[in-house]
Amino acid sequence: MSDKSRYLSRLRRIEGQARGIHRMIEDDTYCIDILTQISAMTSALENVGLALLDDHLKHCVAGAVAEGGADGEEKLKEASDAIRRLVKS
């Protein structure tokens, strides 16, 4: 992981967004405003996921492929599966 503190900071902001959405629902905020915040939170989570995937490809996968062998193939498969899961969500 290239910048753990950056990821943790982003996740704290996302936690704050989730708490804000919770409060909005408790306060009977207009539904469209809540949906807008849910969309923003979803986008923020997707960005964290994509950044983690990028780090994984640059470090774990690239290193395993450079070493060769079965580990490289396994890392490529893991990355493909992770991409598939991200695209589905």
Side-chain angles (χ1 to χ4, degrees), residues 10-61:
R10 288 170 140 186
L11 290 171
R12 279 190 290 278
R13 283 194 301 265
I14 292 167
E15 285 175 312
Q17 285 178 297
R19 286 189 299 275
I21 292 168
H22 186 271
R23 274 191 303 276
M24 291 173 83
I25 292 171
E26 284 180 334
D27 296 343
D28 294 320
T29 302
Y30 185 57
C31 295
I32 297 301
D33 294 339
I34 296 169
L35 291 170
T36 299
Q37 290 305 309
I38 289 171
S39 177
M41 188 174 135
T42 301
S43 177
L45 275 172
E46 287 173 353
N47 286 333
V48 169
L50 289 171
L52 283 168
L53 179 61
D54 188 54
D55 272 352
H56 181 66
L57 290 171
K58 287 179 180 174
H59 299 103
C60 301
V61 175

Side-chain angles (χ1 to χ4, degrees), residues 57-76:
L57 290 171
K58 287 179 180 174
H59 299 103
C60 301
V61 175
V65 169
E67 289 177 15
D71 192 39
E73 290 297 321
E74 179 61 27
K75 293 291 183 194
L76 286 171

